[in-house]
Amino acid sequence: MGEIFLSFTFGPLIMLYVGFYLKLIKRYYTKKFKEIKKTQKVEKIKSAEIKDEKVKEFVKKSINIKYFNQSFFYNNLKTLKIKRSKNLKMLNIYVNQYTPVDNAIYITNEDALFHELNHVSSSYYDGDDYSGLSQNEFGTGLNEGYTELLMERYYQFTDSYCVEKRIAINLEKIIGREKSEECYYTANLYDFIEELKQYDTEENILKFINYVDIMSSLIDNSILNKIYYHILVNSMKKINLYLLKWYTLKQKRLLENKLISNKQCYNNIQKYSKKLVSLKNVESVKYRVLDKKLINKEVEKILGERVLYEK
């Protein structure tokens, strides 16, 4: 739910136990969010009750966003604690984080406040932690990426989670902007997964989300991304393959329903494949995660034709 630039070398190792991890989180995401919605009073934000000037500014910019969850935000705002720490900043330790358990924002960089307030507006805690596109910290990487996408879209500011944001952009092209924003602001990971089940199995979707979490735990840590370089590259490869598969299946469906032409289908897939994420500044090289041969191979499985042709 924010940035903590500290090194935990054991984290990625634990996350590698994918089978165990999937079983561990399954009981959380399968709890339908509709059951929780009924307990939420529909309340609107009362500007007069907001004392923090930065929070007032955030509300002013957010209030007209279609799916912005005023009920979540107002209910959390009643007891929200914002803890600004100049001492940590002086020690060159940067901590920007929202924790739903104690409903508190810990911040050293004021520019990150709107990002954390977006978490406040998309979080619900009832013993389980529902926040944006994550539940009980499963989906944290995806959630951070989509939060940063919304920061760029609605607040014209973005300075973190660049790779996660690119993944969120590519995923939104599959699910659609309206549904993605609705799921985010209602903390509805369940329905987000249901949308993706048009294109793949539940197990594969959970693996994809887990790969994004693994990648996110490594990508910006200059120590860990060298130690676990091959794990990082493999995670990105898996992420890109899932995205390419789902987008191609979506284009195939549009083609079969005569909503796009053959040429449009192929052009769309070509453009999309060029936007898949490459790894930069890891081991001082730019590593292209998917090459044209692999892209062709994956697309051929679905369409039966090559889309990208080597020169």
Side-chain angles (χ1 to χ4, degrees), residues 125-254:
Y125 182 76
D126 66 351
D128 284 326
D129 168 16
Y130 299 82
S131 184
L133 300 179
S134 66
Q135 288 186 17
N136 296 299
E137 298 189 359
F138 178 73
T140 297
L142 181 58
N143 190 42
E144 295 294 359
Y146 203 75
T147 301
E148 203 60 20
L149 171 56
L150 294 175
M151 282 293 300
E152 184 176 65
R153 179 173 292 161
Y154 293 119
Y155 308 94
Q156 293 75 54
F157 180 83
T158 179
D159 70 342
S160 59
Y161 299 107
C162 296
V163 176
E164 293 91 337
K165 182 179 71 174
R166 170 51 58 189
I167 292 168
I169 290 169
N170 287 335
L171 197 53
E172 192 182 66
K173 288 176 182 176
I174 297 164
I175 292 177
R177 174 171 168 173
E178 288 275 316
K179 190 63 182 180
S180 297
E181 288 196 14
E182 182 183 7
C183 288
Y184 175 86
Y185 281 117
T186 54
N188 199 339
L189 178 63
Y190 180 87
D191 274 1
F192 195 81
I193 290 169
E194 286 297 305
E195 284 293 312
L196 286 173
K197 281 166 74 172
Q198 299 177 68
Y199 309 109
D200 215 330
T201 65
E202 177 183 292
E203 182 180 359
N204 282 341
I205 295 163
L206 294 178
K207 285 180 179 178
F208 165 81
I209 296 171
N210 192 48
Y211 281 126
V212 177
D213 281 348
I214 293 172
M215 178 281 301
S216 187
S217 71
L218 296 173
I219 190 70
D220 288 323
N221 189 306
S222 60
I223 298 173
L224 292 185
N225 66 29
K226 289 179 172 61
I227 296 172
Y228 300 115
Y229 175 68
H230 295 292
I231 295 171
L232 176 59
V233 170
N234 182 63
S235 296
M236 276 309 316
K237 181 178 178 180
K238 296 289 187 182
I239 290 165
N240 280 338
L241 284 173
Y242 278 124
L243 288 170
L244 180 63
K245 174 185 176 182
W246 298 339
Y247 185 80
T248 302
L249 284 168
K250 180 176 182 177
Q251 296 307 301
K252 182 182 180 183
R253 183 174 296 179
L254 292 172

Side-chain angles (χ1 to χ4, degrees), residues 27-130:
R27 68 180 185 272
Y28 295 129
Y29 93 90
T30 52
K31 183 176 180 181
K32 291 189 178 181
F33 192 71
K34 291 175 183 176
E35 297 169 6
I36 302 170
K37 270 187 175 179
K38 294 175 184 176
T39 67
Q40 284 284 295
K41 293 180 181 178
V42 179
E43 303 213 43
K44 295 206 171 180
I45 298 165
K46 301 173 185 176
S47 296
E49 296 181 14
I50 302 173
K51 297 178 181 179
D52 190 296
E53 290 302 317
K54 280 282 187 179
V55 177
K56 279 186 180 179
E57 184 185 348
F58 173 78
V59 171
K60 186 177 179 181
K61 291 187 175 184
S62 307
I63 204 75
N64 293 320
I65 297 172
K66 183 175 180 179
Y67 292 107
F68 180 75
N69 198 322
Q70 292 193 46
S71 294
F72 276 10
F73 188 78
Y74 185 69
N75 286 331
N76 287 329
L77 190 61
K78 289 176 182 177
T79 58
L80 179 68
K81 300 175 286 291
I82 300 178
K83 300 183 179 181
R84 295 171 167 93
S85 178
K86 293 181 180 179
N87 293 334
L88 286 176
K89 192 172 182 178
M90 289 173 64
L91 293 170
N92 205 30
I93 298 174
Y94 292 87
V95 179
N96 302 305
Q97 186 176 33
Y98 170 65
T99 57
V101 178
D102 55 3
N103 194 29
I105 291 175
Y106 301 89
I107 194 165
T108 53
N109 180 4
E110 202 68 25
D111 288 339
L113 182 60
F114 277 22
H115 177 105
E116 304 310 327
L117 287 171
N118 262 302
H119 288 312
V120 175
S121 68
S122 59
S123 293
Y124 178 86
Y125 182 76
D126 66 351
D128 284 326
D129 168 16
Y130 299 82

